[in-house]
Amino acid sequence: MSAIAEFFVGLGPRGRSLLPPRVHGTLRIDLVDQDCTSHWYVDMTAADRVLVTRDSRPADAVLTTTHRLLERLVCGDQSAIAALLRNEATFAGDTRLILAFRRFFPSPAGTRDPREVARQHALHGQAWRERLQTRIS
Amino acid sequence: MLDGNTFLVCDDTGDIDASRKVPTGLFSYDTRFLSNWRLSINGERLHALSVDDVRYFETRFFLVPGEPTHYVDAKVSVIRNRTIGGSFTEDLAVLNHADHEVDLTVRLDMASDFADIFEIKNPQSKKATVSATVEEKKLRLRYRRDRFHRETVISTSADAQIDSGGMTFRIRVPGQSEWQTQLRVQTLVLGAHERDFRDSLELRHVRNPDELDEQLREWMAAAPRLSCDSLDIVSTYRRSLADLAALRYSSITMAAELVAAGLPWFMTVFGRDSIFTCLQALPFTPQLTPTTLGTLAYGQGSRIDDFRDEEPGKILHELRYGESAGFAEQSHSPYYGAADSTPLFVILLDEYERWTGDDTLVRAYEFEARAALSWIDTYGDLLDTGYIWYQTRNPDTGLANQCWKDSWDSISYRDGRLPPFPRATCEQQGYAYDAKMRGARLARLYWNDPAFAERLEREAAELKDRFNREFWIADGEYYALALDADGGQVDALSSNIGHLLWSGIVDESRAGRIAELLLGDRLFSGWGVRTLATDCARYNPVGYHVGTVWPFDNSIIAWGLWRYGYRREAATICEAMFDAARHFQGRLPEAFAGYPRVRTRSPVQYPTACSPQAWSAGTPLLLLRVMLGLEPHDEHLIIDPEVPAGIGRVELLDIPGRWGKIDALGRSRTPDDDSEQATSRNGAGALTEGRRGA
């Protein structure tokens, strides 16, 4: 399965839990590559899961881009908003749905938890507190 | 001159002659669309007789050709009338004052470098070139880099000879007559199918001057009316409202109006600035808050992205629309490098409900508010100590200091050394405390989650206790500016301690000492509280965050003093700020110098301070709230004024809120009041009017 297909298949109930309950609407993604256009239709109207089909029905918002860019978005390698700003992706309709959809994208590959990184280099937790107490007493 | 995030900076003749370092030009969406706009007549530049700022979106220039020494003789004069409202329009009139006809060559040089706002701050060469196309009565300037596409389209109503560098009008003007043309400049941000992206989103971006005028009238009329013995305070109030109106622009997310942070560098969404401005303005223009909360909620961080300092639940710091953000040369798409905007988001949500009773909104953003509260204890607490810490993960373009004092040297020890990272500044712990207390109120009243409310209150109490033990500097008797990663106190005395009062994290027993320090010689200049005390090694009266006085900072400090009952101290700050505002014609700048007042007849402007700036424009509003002692309590508004001596009567009529509209009246104490005080608590002139129109 391609990375894109895997991303959409994985949304389901987990996808819904990433969205504020207030978010309610449909988003169509049009991938335009040379003369061929393919679609992903993301239905965010159900309370318990996100439904994804390959329909080309009208939607509340439409995100238009290329297969290549979407591949980079679903692996976390690119920011959707930066892509929109440089016009590598365009959108129409309800902007809020595109911003909500952004919540599905993962962190860039290899990203570490910043807490883990900071604690590797600095005193933390109880050791930090003991040092502070020695210094201020 | 500005309308939302489109603005024009020019010289006193109306010309734009931008070298890359000088921020003159016509700007929109963080791009300069005109860098050259220079008028000449018969090869001679013009000289200004006068400039009339008609309204914030309209300016009129009266000019004559030649240098000042020979204009006495001018037989020709020029009037340039320009408006900004979506597009930029200049009505150019050339008047012949002689009694015979004259032939003139009117030339307007035109160019755009399409510089990104960040390239003007830090000059660098463009990645692509600009092309010019001459069309019927039009000059089109185009910048394209990959699919990034910006255009400036300049059209003229009169016939012109157009070349790639401008327009030439060879005109014949009869005696005692005039010639006119209208020039229109469109700034296009082109998206799908070469259409302006605002058209695809149905954002209404073209507002003509009549519409803008009508909107300004409605905006002013919707705000409470101020009547006051001091005419200076009334004009400062009106100036503030008009500046906030000018700084409004359309949020792309919410298709409604947001406030940009300030001219010229910050015409965009800033989490912190927008939140503080909304907090300051809530009693006056509550309609600004829902759009701000919505924009920040939809932009909330959802993943870990080191380049943008993003984490799940974090509220954004800054969003830019330009080329450098799109191509990831800058990280503002959006950038999340602020450790305080996340708790501040929860604080604004709660304060908004207290004023307006709009519980729909606090229910709608429950998801984001919970994620924000969770961020405080997870990603915010980098070192697992029960505090919010910051350290950028983007050493190239990220911010070193992720607090409101975000310049590189703002956080220092008293002896001037800079602490290691991560850092935990004191006011951010105050905001975290307040966010937990307010989050608890929202959880109990609106989210139907009393267990969460109890947990938040318990955590807040523990934080307050810990904070008062660990930030308190015993020998100086004040709170440290920050704690460092080595377990040390960053012991500079700073204005940040005033924010702690506002947050309520200060132990009652210590509030008096903090008030005394804030109004003492080291911090208080006479014009306001300095960012850093005079006995700190890095103190500099003209240092951006190390000695200047920030009006916004002072408004929060006054609110904090008021909260702990130090009404006279709060009133002293209010009075000093209104005095300063008078010297700036009612428009408080971002910051001014920290020299002692006795050495300066008027406050000294900080060299590159932004003006107008949203949270400086919001300052007089919050000061009025503090002077009148306005505080929502359940369905009522408490009015408990403490008006500085010498201001006299202050009446604020039709304050909007959950009570409908209400009036607040206060007046300065007189010697008689002080003698009466023993018998009447409200003897100081606290005239409280009942509910009306609810």
Side-chain angles (χ1 to χ4, degrees), chain A residues 22 94-96 99, chain B residues 203 249-258 289-299 361 365:
Chain A
R22 146 191 104 252
D94 189 343
T95 323
R96 293 171 299 182
L99 291 171
Chain B
L203 282 181
Y249 75 101
S250 285
S251 157
I252 294 173
T253 312
M254 304 300 286
E257 281 172 335
L258 263 186
T289 298
T291 323
T292 302
L293 287 169
T295 302
L296 298 175
Y298 279 99
L361 200 85
Y365 295 128

PDB file of all heavy atoms in Angstrom, chain A residues 22 94-96 99, chain B residues 203 249-258 289-299 361 365:
ATOM      1  N   ARG A  22     -16.279  20.055  17.665  1.00  0.00           N
ATOM      2  CA  ARG A  22     -17.015  21.080  16.915  1.00  0.00           C
ATOM      3  C   ARG A  22     -16.758  20.977  15.406  1.00  0.00           C
ATOM      4  O   ARG A  22     -17.588  21.386  14.599  1.00  0.00           O
ATOM      5  CB  ARG A  22     -16.548  22.423  17.485  1.00  0.00           C
ATOM      6  CG  ARG A  22     -16.455  23.555  16.602  1.00  0.00           C
ATOM      7  CD  ARG A  22     -15.728  24.744  17.242  1.00  0.00           C
ATOM      8  NE  ARG A  22     -14.382  24.821  16.701  1.00  0.00           N
ATOM      9  CZ  ARG A  22     -13.285  24.524  17.361  1.00  0.00           C
ATOM     10  NH1 ARG A  22     -13.339  24.127  18.612  1.00  0.00           N
ATOM     11  NH2 ARG A  22     -12.114  24.608  16.779  1.00  0.00           N
ATOM     12  N   ASP A  94     -14.008  26.300   3.001  1.00  0.00           N
ATOM     13  CA  ASP A  94     -13.882  26.590   4.426  1.00  0.00           C
ATOM     14  C   ASP A  94     -12.458  26.295   4.929  1.00  0.00           C
ATOM     15  O   ASP A  94     -12.072  25.144   5.106  1.00  0.00           O
ATOM     16  CB  ASP A  94     -14.908  25.741   5.190  1.00  0.00           C
ATOM     17  CG  ASP A  94     -15.007  26.138   6.657  1.00  0.00           C
ATOM     18  OD1 ASP A  94     -14.083  26.817   7.154  1.00  0.00           O
ATOM     19  OD2 ASP A  94     -15.997  25.758   7.286  1.00  0.00           O
ATOM     20  N   THR A  95     -11.705  27.366   5.153  1.00  0.00           N
ATOM     21  CA  THR A  95     -10.310  27.241   5.592  1.00  0.00           C
ATOM     22  C   THR A  95     -10.169  26.436   6.877  1.00  0.00           C
ATOM     23  O   THR A  95      -9.157  25.774   7.101  1.00  0.00           O
ATOM     24  CB  THR A  95      -9.735  28.638   5.895  1.00  0.00           C
ATOM     25  OG1 THR A  95     -10.251  29.534   4.954  1.00  0.00           O
ATOM     26  CG2 THR A  95      -8.245  28.633   5.852  1.00  0.00           C
ATOM     27  N   ARG A  96     -11.171  26.527   7.751  1.00  0.00           N
ATOM     28  CA  ARG A  96     -11.068  25.867   9.053  1.00  0.00           C
ATOM     29  C   ARG A  96     -10.912  24.358   8.903  1.00  0.00           C
ATOM     30  O   ARG A  96     -10.231  23.705   9.688  1.00  0.00           O
ATOM     31  CB  ARG A  96     -12.308  26.196   9.895  1.00  0.00           C
ATOM     32  CG  ARG A  96     -12.357  27.668  10.276  1.00  0.00           C
ATOM     33  CD  ARG A  96     -13.662  28.033  10.916  1.00  0.00           C
ATOM     34  NE  ARG A  96     -14.784  27.793  10.019  1.00  0.00           N
ATOM     35  CZ  ARG A  96     -16.050  28.062  10.319  1.00  0.00           C
ATOM     36  NH1 ARG A  96     -16.354  28.559  11.504  1.00  0.00           N
ATOM     37  NH2 ARG A  96     -17.010  27.841   9.459  1.00  0.00           N
ATOM     38  N   LEU A  99      -7.318  23.536   8.132  1.00  0.00           N
ATOM     39  CA  LEU A  99      -6.492  23.623   9.343  1.00  0.00           C
ATOM     40  C   LEU A  99      -6.761  22.448  10.274  1.00  0.00           C
ATOM     41  O   LEU A  99      -5.853  21.932  10.926  1.00  0.00           O
ATOM     42  CB  LEU A  99      -6.746  24.949  10.065  1.00  0.00           C
ATOM     43  CG  LEU A  99      -6.210  26.168   9.297  1.00  0.00           C
ATOM     44  CD1 LEU A  99      -6.694  27.461   9.943  1.00  0.00           C
ATOM     45  CD2 LEU A  99      -4.693  26.149   9.251  1.00  0.00           C
TER      46      LEU A  99
ATOM     47  N   LEU B 203     -13.166  35.898   0.755  1.00  0.00           N
ATOM     48  CA  LEU B 203     -12.836  36.895   1.764  1.00  0.00           C
ATOM     49  C   LEU B 203     -13.105  38.236   1.116  1.00  0.00           C
ATOM     50  O   LEU B 203     -12.625  38.506   0.023  1.00  0.00           O
ATOM     51  CB  LEU B 203     -11.344  36.837   2.122  1.00  0.00           C
ATOM     52  CG  LEU B 203     -10.865  35.750   3.048  1.00  0.00           C
ATOM     53  CD1 LEU B 203      -9.372  35.920   3.268  1.00  0.00           C
ATOM     54  CD2 LEU B 203     -11.589  35.835   4.370  1.00  0.00           C
ATOM     55  N   TYR B 249      -7.802  43.413  10.578  1.00  0.00           N
ATOM     56  CA  TYR B 249      -7.805  42.870   9.226  1.00  0.00           C
ATOM     57  C   TYR B 249      -8.486  41.525   9.233  1.00  0.00           C
ATOM     58  O   TYR B 249      -8.767  40.969  10.293  1.00  0.00           O
ATOM     59  CB  TYR B 249      -6.398  42.800   8.657  1.00  0.00           C
ATOM     60  CG  TYR B 249      -5.542  41.704   9.210  1.00  0.00           C
ATOM     61  CD1 TYR B 249      -5.338  40.531   8.491  1.00  0.00           C
ATOM     62  CD2 TYR B 249      -4.937  41.837  10.454  1.00  0.00           C
ATOM     63  CE1 TYR B 249      -4.547  39.515   8.996  1.00  0.00           C
ATOM     64  CE2 TYR B 249      -4.148  40.828  10.960  1.00  0.00           C
ATOM     65  CZ  TYR B 249      -3.953  39.664  10.221  1.00  0.00           C
ATOM     66  OH  TYR B 249      -3.180  38.671  10.717  1.00  0.00           O
ATOM     67  N   SER B 250      -8.753  41.009   8.044  1.00  0.00           N
ATOM     68  CA  SER B 250      -9.523  39.780   7.959  1.00  0.00           C
ATOM     69  C   SER B 250      -8.668  38.571   8.296  1.00  0.00           C
ATOM     70  O   SER B 250      -7.639  38.336   7.685  1.00  0.00           O
ATOM     71  CB  SER B 250     -10.082  39.604   6.557  1.00  0.00           C
ATOM     72  OG  SER B 250     -11.148  40.485   6.392  1.00  0.00           O
ATOM     73  N   SER B 251      -9.123  37.807   9.258  1.00  0.00           N
ATOM     74  CA  SER B 251      -8.501  36.534   9.544  1.00  0.00           C
ATOM     75  C   SER B 251      -8.865  35.591   8.409  1.00  0.00           C
ATOM     76  O   SER B 251     -10.035  35.452   8.078  1.00  0.00           O
ATOM     77  CB  SER B 251      -9.047  35.998  10.865  1.00  0.00           C
ATOM     78  OG  SER B 251      -8.891  34.600  10.912  1.00  0.00           O
ATOM     79  N   ILE B 252      -7.866  34.972   7.814  1.00  0.00           N
ATOM     80  CA  ILE B 252      -8.157  34.050   6.710  1.00  0.00           C
ATOM     81  C   ILE B 252      -8.928  32.854   7.247  1.00  0.00           C
ATOM     82  O   ILE B 252      -9.818  32.328   6.601  1.00  0.00           O
ATOM     83  CB  ILE B 252      -6.839  33.605   6.043  1.00  0.00           C
ATOM     84  CG1 ILE B 252      -6.194  34.824   5.387  1.00  0.00           C
ATOM     85  CG2 ILE B 252      -7.080  32.524   5.001  1.00  0.00           C
ATOM     86  CD1 ILE B 252      -4.812  34.557   4.853  1.00  0.00           C
ATOM     87  N   THR B 253      -8.609  32.441   8.471  1.00  0.00           N
ATOM     88  CA  THR B 253      -9.282  31.298   9.062  1.00  0.00           C
ATOM     89  C   THR B 253     -10.751  31.576   9.338  1.00  0.00           C
ATOM     90  O   THR B 253     -11.622  30.787   9.007  1.00  0.00           O
ATOM     91  CB  THR B 253      -8.620  30.944  10.409  1.00  0.00           C
ATOM     92  OG1 THR B 253      -7.233  30.902  10.220  1.00  0.00           O
ATOM     93  CG2 THR B 253      -9.122  29.629  10.926  1.00  0.00           C
ATOM     94  N   MET B 254     -10.998  32.701   9.988  1.00  0.00           N
ATOM     95  CA  MET B 254     -12.331  32.931  10.516  1.00  0.00           C
ATOM     96  C   MET B 254     -13.184  33.813   9.611  1.00  0.00           C
ATOM     97  O   MET B 254     -14.359  34.022   9.892  1.00  0.00           O
ATOM     98  CB  MET B 254     -12.238  33.580  11.895  1.00  0.00           C
ATOM     99  CG  MET B 254     -11.416  32.809  12.895  1.00  0.00           C
ATOM    100  SD  MET B 254     -12.048  31.146  13.203  1.00  0.00           S
ATOM    101  CE  MET B 254     -13.499  31.538  14.194  1.00  0.00           C
ATOM    102  N   ALA B 255     -12.598  34.346   8.550  1.00  0.00           N
ATOM    103  CA  ALA B 255     -13.308  35.277   7.689  1.00  0.00           C
ATOM    104  C   ALA B 255     -13.979  36.372   8.522  1.00  0.00           C
ATOM    105  O   ALA B 255     -15.111  36.765   8.289  1.00  0.00           O
ATOM    106  CB  ALA B 255     -14.316  34.553   6.794  1.00  0.00           C
ATOM    107  N   ALA B 256     -13.295  36.814   9.545  1.00  0.00           N
ATOM    108  CA  ALA B 256     -13.798  37.898  10.383  1.00  0.00           C
ATOM    109  C   ALA B 256     -12.588  38.698  10.844  1.00  0.00           C
ATOM    110  O   ALA B 256     -11.455  38.371  10.490  1.00  0.00           O
ATOM    111  CB  ALA B 256     -14.552  37.333  11.577  1.00  0.00           C
ATOM    112  N   GLU B 257     -12.839  39.728  11.666  1.00  0.00           N
ATOM    113  CA  GLU B 257     -11.744  40.662  11.892  1.00  0.00           C
ATOM    114  C   GLU B 257     -10.853  40.364  13.095  1.00  0.00           C
ATOM    115  O   GLU B 257     -11.316  40.075  14.178  1.00  0.00           O
ATOM    116  CB  GLU B 257     -12.306  42.070  11.993  1.00  0.00           C
ATOM    117  CG  GLU B 257     -12.583  42.565  10.591  1.00  0.00           C
ATOM    118  CD  GLU B 257     -13.312  43.871  10.545  1.00  0.00           C
ATOM    119  OE1 GLU B 257     -14.014  44.187  11.512  1.00  0.00           O
ATOM    120  OE2 GLU B 257     -13.146  44.557   9.540  1.00  0.00           O
ATOM    121  N   LEU B 258      -9.576  40.459  12.842  1.00  0.00           N
ATOM    122  CA  LEU B 258      -8.516  40.243  13.819  1.00  0.00           C
ATOM    123  C   LEU B 258      -7.740  41.540  13.962  1.00  0.00           C
ATOM    124  O   LEU B 258      -7.764  42.370  13.070  1.00  0.00           O
ATOM    125  CB  LEU B 258      -7.494  39.276  13.221  1.00  0.00           C
ATOM    126  CG  LEU B 258      -7.514  37.824  13.513  1.00  0.00           C
ATOM    127  CD1 LEU B 258      -6.282  37.220  12.870  1.00  0.00           C
ATOM    128  CD2 LEU B 258      -7.484  37.560  14.993  1.00  0.00           C
ATOM    129  N   THR B 289     -12.565  39.530  20.388  1.00  0.00           N
ATOM    130  CA  THR B 289     -12.055  38.320  21.031  1.00  0.00           C
ATOM    131  C   THR B 289     -12.420  37.001  20.335  1.00  0.00           C
ATOM    132  O   THR B 289     -11.541  36.152  20.159  1.00  0.00           O
ATOM    133  CB  THR B 289     -12.464  38.312  22.513  1.00  0.00           C
ATOM    134  OG1 THR B 289     -11.865  39.449  23.135  1.00  0.00           O
ATOM    135  CG2 THR B 289     -11.999  37.064  23.229  1.00  0.00           C
ATOM    136  N   PRO B 290     -13.687  36.785  19.933  1.00  0.00           N
ATOM    137  CA  PRO B 290     -13.995  35.478  19.327  1.00  0.00           C
ATOM    138  C   PRO B 290     -13.140  35.156  18.101  1.00  0.00           C
ATOM    139  O   PRO B 290     -12.686  34.014  17.944  1.00  0.00           O
ATOM    140  CB  PRO B 290     -15.471  35.597  18.953  1.00  0.00           C
ATOM    141  CG  PRO B 290     -16.020  36.605  19.901  1.00  0.00           C
ATOM    142  CD  PRO B 290     -14.906  37.598  20.113  1.00  0.00           C
ATOM    143  N   THR B 291     -12.875  36.138  17.249  1.00  0.00           N
ATOM    144  CA  THR B 291     -12.058  35.866  16.062  1.00  0.00           C
ATOM    145  C   THR B 291     -10.638  35.507  16.459  1.00  0.00           C
ATOM    146  O   THR B 291     -10.015  34.618  15.870  1.00  0.00           O
ATOM    147  CB  THR B 291     -11.962  37.106  15.153  1.00  0.00           C
ATOM    148  OG1 THR B 291     -13.194  37.761  15.165  1.00  0.00           O
ATOM    149  CG2 THR B 291     -11.556  36.728  13.767  1.00  0.00           C
ATOM    150  N   THR B 292     -10.125  36.208  17.449  1.00  0.00           N
ATOM    151  CA  THR B 292      -8.760  35.927  17.906  1.00  0.00           C
ATOM    152  C   THR B 292      -8.674  34.518  18.470  1.00  0.00           C
ATOM    153  O   THR B 292      -7.782  33.742  18.098  1.00  0.00           O
ATOM    154  CB  THR B 292      -8.357  36.958  18.982  1.00  0.00           C
ATOM    155  OG1 THR B 292      -8.470  38.249  18.405  1.00  0.00           O
ATOM    156  CG2 THR B 292      -6.949  36.717  19.476  1.00  0.00           C
ATOM    157  N   LEU B 293      -9.608  34.175  19.353  1.00  0.00           N
ATOM    158  CA  LEU B 293      -9.596  32.835  19.934  1.00  0.00           C
ATOM    159  C   LEU B 293      -9.739  31.777  18.843  1.00  0.00           C
ATOM    160  O   LEU B 293      -9.056  30.751  18.858  1.00  0.00           O
ATOM    161  CB  LEU B 293     -10.726  32.687  20.958  1.00  0.00           C
ATOM    162  CG  LEU B 293     -10.511  33.420  22.291  1.00  0.00           C
ATOM    163  CD1 LEU B 293     -11.801  33.434  23.109  1.00  0.00           C
ATOM    164  CD2 LEU B 293      -9.384  32.784  23.099  1.00  0.00           C
ATOM    165  N   GLY B 294     -10.613  32.036  17.884  1.00  0.00           N
ATOM    166  CA  GLY B 294     -10.844  31.075  16.812  1.00  0.00           C
ATOM    167  C   GLY B 294      -9.603  30.883  15.956  1.00  0.00           C
ATOM    168  O   GLY B 294      -9.200  29.759  15.652  1.00  0.00           O
ATOM    169  N   THR B 295      -8.974  31.976  15.586  1.00  0.00           N
ATOM    170  CA  THR B 295      -7.777  31.884  14.750  1.00  0.00           C
ATOM    171  C   THR B 295      -6.685  31.107  15.474  1.00  0.00           C
ATOM    172  O   THR B 295      -6.014  30.258  14.888  1.00  0.00           O
ATOM    173  CB  THR B 295      -7.280  33.300  14.401  1.00  0.00           C
ATOM    174  OG1 THR B 295      -8.332  33.977  13.740  1.00  0.00           O
ATOM    175  CG2 THR B 295      -6.058  33.262  13.510  1.00  0.00           C
ATOM    176  N   LEU B 296      -6.515  31.393  16.762  1.00  0.00           N
ATOM    177  CA  LEU B 296      -5.477  30.700  17.519  1.00  0.00           C
ATOM    178  C   LEU B 296      -5.848  29.234  17.754  1.00  0.00           C
ATOM    179  O   LEU B 296      -4.988  28.354  17.727  1.00  0.00           O
ATOM    180  CB  LEU B 296      -5.227  31.418  18.848  1.00  0.00           C
ATOM    181  CG  LEU B 296      -4.717  32.866  18.705  1.00  0.00           C
ATOM    182  CD1 LEU B 296      -4.608  33.528  20.073  1.00  0.00           C
ATOM    183  CD2 LEU B 296      -3.375  32.915  17.986  1.00  0.00           C
ATOM    184  N   ALA B 297      -7.131  28.964  17.957  1.00  0.00           N
ATOM    185  CA  ALA B 297      -7.568  27.577  18.187  1.00  0.00           C
ATOM    186  C   ALA B 297      -7.322  26.734  16.934  1.00  0.00           C
ATOM    187  O   ALA B 297      -6.786  25.624  17.015  1.00  0.00           O
ATOM    188  CB  ALA B 297      -9.046  27.543  18.563  1.00  0.00           C
ATOM    189  N   TYR B 298      -7.689  27.266  15.771  1.00  0.00           N
ATOM    190  CA  TYR B 298      -7.486  26.499  14.537  1.00  0.00           C
ATOM    191  C   TYR B 298      -6.005  26.370  14.186  1.00  0.00           C
ATOM    192  O   TYR B 298      -5.612  25.467  13.467  1.00  0.00           O
ATOM    193  CB  TYR B 298      -8.285  27.103  13.379  1.00  0.00           C
ATOM    194  CG  TYR B 298      -9.725  26.669  13.423  1.00  0.00           C
ATOM    195  CD1 TYR B 298     -10.716  27.479  13.957  1.00  0.00           C
ATOM    196  CD2 TYR B 298     -10.083  25.404  12.971  1.00  0.00           C
ATOM    197  CE1 TYR B 298     -12.030  27.058  14.028  1.00  0.00           C
ATOM    198  CE2 TYR B 298     -11.394  24.968  13.035  1.00  0.00           C
ATOM    199  CZ  TYR B 298     -12.369  25.793  13.565  1.00  0.00           C
ATOM    200  OH  TYR B 298     -13.661  25.359  13.643  1.00  0.00           O
ATOM    201  N   GLY B 299      -5.192  27.282  14.693  1.00  0.00           N
ATOM    202  CA  GLY B 299      -3.763  27.180  14.399  1.00  0.00           C
ATOM    203  C   GLY B 299      -2.987  26.440  15.478  1.00  0.00           C
ATOM    204  O   GLY B 299      -1.765  26.373  15.426  1.00  0.00           O
ATOM    205  N   LEU B 361     -19.148  29.905  23.239  1.00  0.00           N
ATOM    206  CA  LEU B 361     -17.759  29.938  22.803  1.00  0.00           C
ATOM    207  C   LEU B 361     -16.861  29.102  23.731  1.00  0.00           C
ATOM    208  O   LEU B 361     -15.986  28.387  23.258  1.00  0.00           O
ATOM    209  CB  LEU B 361     -17.270  31.390  22.758  1.00  0.00           C
ATOM    210  CG  LEU B 361     -16.054  31.574  21.879  1.00  0.00           C
ATOM    211  CD1 LEU B 361     -16.470  31.754  20.435  1.00  0.00           C
ATOM    212  CD2 LEU B 361     -15.243  32.771  22.333  1.00  0.00           C
ATOM    213  N   TYR B 365     -14.652  25.774  22.327  1.00  0.00           N
ATOM    214  CA  TYR B 365     -13.194  25.627  22.333  1.00  0.00           C
ATOM    215  C   TYR B 365     -12.683  24.794  23.510  1.00  0.00           C
ATOM    216  O   TYR B 365     -11.512  24.881  23.869  1.00  0.00           O
ATOM    217  CB  TYR B 365     -12.515  26.999  22.273  1.00  0.00           C
ATOM    218  CG  TYR B 365     -12.795  27.711  20.969  1.00  0.00           C
ATOM    219  CD1 TYR B 365     -13.291  29.005  20.935  1.00  0.00           C
ATOM    220  CD2 TYR B 365     -12.591  27.059  19.753  1.00  0.00           C
ATOM    221  CE1 TYR B 365     -13.570  29.647  19.730  1.00  0.00           C
ATOM    222  CE2 TYR B 365     -12.870  27.682  18.546  1.00  0.00           C
ATOM    223  CZ  TYR B 365     -13.363  28.973  18.544  1.00  0.00           C
ATOM    224  OH  TYR B 365     -13.639  29.594  17.350  1.00  0.00           O
TER     225      TYR B 365
END
